[in-house]
Amino acid sequence: MAQAPENTIASYRVAEEVGVDEVETDVRISSDGQLFMLHDATLDRVAAEPAGKDLGPVAELTWSKISSVDVGEGERVPTLEQMYQATTRLIQLEIKDLAAIDGLVDFFPHHPDYAERTILTGFSVEAMATVAEKLPEIARGIIVSSWTVAEAYPGGYQKLIKDTGSCRIHSGGEGLTAEIVQQLHDEGFPVHGWPTRNEDDLRHWLELGVDGTTSDDPRTLQRWLAGALR
């Protein structure tokens, strides 16, 4: 997030203050079974100090090692539970590592209130199909880098949605049109377009009629949106 280190408690608090509808964040699991929030497979990009870099894949690190790393402004990588405690919004929980799924299967039955405000997302058809089987009560949304990817899926986008048990689709812009968005709406599927990096991106999504979008700077995005809707 532009106003706080990404995937940290500080960033979730900013999202709360701004009043976003949903928070998109990424879940991984440590070598000793702790679910935590991190986008990349390593800490190299986000570590604020040299000591936090070149540690290797976080999947091979213990939670004590991961949580010792400053990821900016004194923030530490939060656990999945800490993230939920810091938010009240709907959570788009993107699965970055299939190994985290079994941890989620253990986690959510103990936290039904968190499950109720979660949609599990991911690019991996295998991951989405697995959570559809193991966590059927939690909503799912498949992510594709472009609409052409969805159409190229064997059997087409409808088979992709069916195979992943998705209730909505998150698509990059290539190949996506207002007509396709309307068709998906007619079939009962919301469409979220991503990403939104500037005002032109936002105008494009508004023209297509998507139901939502994702931005690293929600405060600025809300200002753009207010201007676009005047």
Side-chain angles (χ1 to χ4, degrees):
M1 181 177 286
Q3 298 175 30
E6 65 185 67
N7 281 317
T8 63
I9 296 300
S11 71
Y12 305 135
R13 287 175 177 159
V14 170
E16 288 285 305
E17 293 169 6
V18 171
V20 301
D21 294 321
E22 302 182 12
V23 172
E24 191 279 334
T25 189
D26 311 284
V27 64
R28 293 185 179 275
I29 193 165
S30 67
S31 65
D32 50 351
Q34 178 63 61
L35 293 163
F36 62 92
M37 319 314 299
L38 189 70
H39 182 279
D40 297 358
T42 73
L43 289 157
D44 292 354
R45 180 175 61 85
V46 296
E49 303 292 340
K53 301 181 185 294
D54 299 320
L55 299 176
V58 287
E60 299 174 7
L61 302 179
T62 63
W63 173 240
S64 63
K65 173 60 73 174
I66 295 166
S67 61
S68 71
V69 174
D70 182 340
V71 293
E73 301 176 16
E75 292 288 318
R76 297 294 192 267
V77 173
T79 66
L80 181 65
E81 184 161 9
Q82 287 172 334
M83 180 275 294
Y84 277 107
Q85 290 173 347
T87 62
T88 63
R89 310 296 168 172
L90 180 68
I91 301 298
Q92 291 182 37
L93 188 63
E94 183 177 341
I95 298 172
K96 289 292 190 182
D97 180 0
L98 268 66
I101 294 175
D102 285 341
L104 295 174
V105 170
D106 291 336
F107 178 83
F108 281 118
H110 298 290
H111 301 283
D113 52 333
Y114 297 158
E116 288 177 0
R117 58 183 178 98
T118 297
I119 177 167
L120 296 170
T121 65
F123 287 89
S124 167
V125 172
E126 180 184 357
M128 291 296 97
T130 301
V131 294
E133 176 186 352
K134 295 186 175 184
L135 292 165
E137 71 282 4
I138 300 182
R140 292 165 300 281
I142 187 67
I143 307 173
V144 290
S145 58
S146 68
W147 187 249
T148 54
V149 170
E151 290 185 321
Y153 185 78
Y157 77 86
Q158 291 172 325
K159 188 67 162 52
L160 174 64
I161 290 172
K162 180 179 179 181
D163 286 352
T164 56
S166 294
C167 66
R168 74 187 192 194
I169 192 161
H170 300 246
S171 178
E174 183 183 353
L176 193 64
T177 65
E179 291 74 22
I180 291 170
V181 171
Q182 185 59 57
Q183 180 177 336
L184 284 159
H185 285 168
D186 291 344
E187 294 171 359
F189 296 105
V191 185
H192 284 231
W194 68 275
T196 297
R197 296 191 177 97
N198 52 54
E199 288 184 83
D200 287 340
D201 288 341
L202 178 60
R203 292 190 193 98
H204 177 68
W205 296 129
L206 292 172
E207 289 170 359
L208 264 56
V210 300
D211 302 278
T213 187
T214 305
S215 172
D216 292 334
D217 187 354
R219 198 182 301 276
T220 299
L221 177 61
Q222 286 195 342
R223 188 173 68 251
W224 292 340
L225 183 59
L229 296 178
R230 284 178 188 153

